[in-house]
Amino acid sequence: MGRAPCCDKANVKKGPWSPEEDAKLKAYIEQHGTGGNWIALPHKIGLKRCGKSCRLRWLNYLRPNIKHGGFSEEEDNIICSLYISIGSRWSIIAAQLPGRTDNDIKNYWNTRLKKKLLGKQRKEQQARRGNSCLKQEMIKREIDQTTSVVPAVAGIDIMMSNQTPYWPELPFVTPPLVSSQQDQSSLKDLLIKLGGRFCDGDHINNQSQPACPFDASLAQSQDDPVTL
DNA sequence: AAGGCTTCCAACCGCCAGACT
DNA sequence: GAGTCTGGCGGTTGGAAGCCT
């Protein structure tokens, strides 16, 4: 049967938003709200845009109190910790960072944080390959120094633990030889080092907690974003 | 100075779940 | 209960800007 498109793509403008379009959308929503129907909204205000596009533009850019760029060290740590706990649930992570959007965080992770962490990790791997105790000790110290600034995040106990790591988004696989996949698992290892609370199935059952303990703590911390 | 390369971010795409009819 | 519609989400892409050689 197929699904009806959300808008008539032939009559819909794509690409960057003009200041006029922004102004129209912003003015309308500030005055009337979204009306609970994003699809109808562009027609009401005479914009040749898809409703979804309007929604995205509002949420990611026009909404009041949006912060752009300039992620702090503290925010880095929060993102890393949450990524460890819940994976790429950007909307949930964004909820913990007032003024940040899921899109922003996703971009920031993909373009900078991931590389930053992988860079660190590669250094460590090289040191290991050299099989030098001295080298290892130096790297360890380096990592210790960097992780020492990683704070506990919003109810998430990120102390190193002896618990079996739980990686919700990725099934366990034997470490592959392909470098990109290796990166993925390497990244995981590094993130574990940086701290983060993990749980495995048994652990959950034993404690009768939600699939991820993070959920409950988050709900509690909504109004008190970060306690460091 | 200029051309190629890399980085970054805004925006789009497609899927899914829940609401509605 | 089945079909349809909409909102929401995560993944991906295109192009502008900055950097490098």
Side-chain angles (χ1 to χ4, degrees):
Chain A
M1 194 178 283
R3 203 191 138 113
C6 70
C7 52
D8 178 7
K9 301 206 173 183
N11 292 320
V12 158
K13 188 184 165 192
K14 287 185 184 179
W17 281 64
S18 67
E20 291 78 22
E21 288 175 312
D22 280 347
K24 268 188 183 177
L25 182 61
K26 197 175 179 192
Y28 183 87
I29 293 177
E30 279 175 352
Q31 209 172 353
H32 304 97
T34 64
N37 189 342
W38 284 106
I39 303 295
L41 195 143
H43 300 117
K44 285 182 191 166
I45 54 179
L47 281 180
K48 289 191 171 184
R49 290 278 181 176
C50 172
K52 276 187 167 187
S53 180
C54 293
R55 175 183 162 273
L56 218 57
R57 185 65 179 170
W58 171 254
L59 292 178
N60 290 336
Y61 200 81
L62 298 175
R63 204 163 39 127
N65 305 322
I66 294 282
K67 278 191 261 177
H68 286 288
F71 279 76
S72 66
E73 188 79 10
E74 185 182 314
E75 285 173 316
D76 282 5
N77 295 328
I78 293 171
I79 295 167
C80 287
S81 298
L82 293 181
Y83 187 88
I84 294 163
S85 297
I86 60 171
S88 57
R89 310 283 173 85
W90 305 118
S91 57
I92 297 174
I93 295 173
Q96 300 310 301
L97 298 171
R100 299 294 185 186
T101 68
D102 55 353
N103 207 37
D104 245 7
I105 293 170
K106 184 168 59 182
N107 279 334
Y108 183 58
W109 171 264
N110 285 331
T111 59
R112 298 195 209 173
L113 265 186
K114 199 157 77 175
K115 286 173 193 167
K116 188 172 155 186
L117 292 170
L118 279 172
K120 248 184 225 173
Q121 200 277 338
R122 286 216 173 96
K123 254 189 189 175
E124 186 191 0
Q125 265 189 348
Q126 279 171 3
R128 276 204 200 121
R129 283 200 198 101
N131 199 23
S132 154
C133 293
L134 181 61
K135 271 186 186 173
Q136 281 185 21
E137 185 59 28
M138 287 170 69
I139 294 294
K140 186 172 178 296
R141 278 185 195 161
E142 187 190 353
I143 288 172
D144 285 349
Q145 276 173 4
T146 51
T147 55
S148 67
V149 297
V150 177
V153 174
I156 296 173
D157 175 8
I158 62 167
M159 294 300 290
M160 304 284 205
S161 79
N162 293 327
Q163 295 170 16
T164 308
Y166 174 63
W167 197 249
E169 298 303 302
L170 301 169
F172 177 80
V173 291
T174 311
L177 295 172
V178 182
S179 72
S180 61
Q181 289 176 320
Q182 201 171 16
D183 281 352
Q184 184 86 330
S185 101
S186 301
L187 181 58
K188 177 186 162 185
D189 290 343
L190 183 68
L191 285 168
I192 291 165
K193 272 207 172 123
L194 284 170
R197 182 169 174 182
F198 298 94
C199 50
D200 58 23
D202 293 336
H203 189 69
I204 294 163
N205 291 340
N206 291 344
Q207 301 204 347
S208 314
Q209 280 185 347
C212 183
F214 147 83
D215 288 335
S217 58
L218 281 190
Q220 190 185 3
S221 64
Q222 286 287 0
D223 295 325
D224 179 19
V226 182
T227 312
L228 297 170

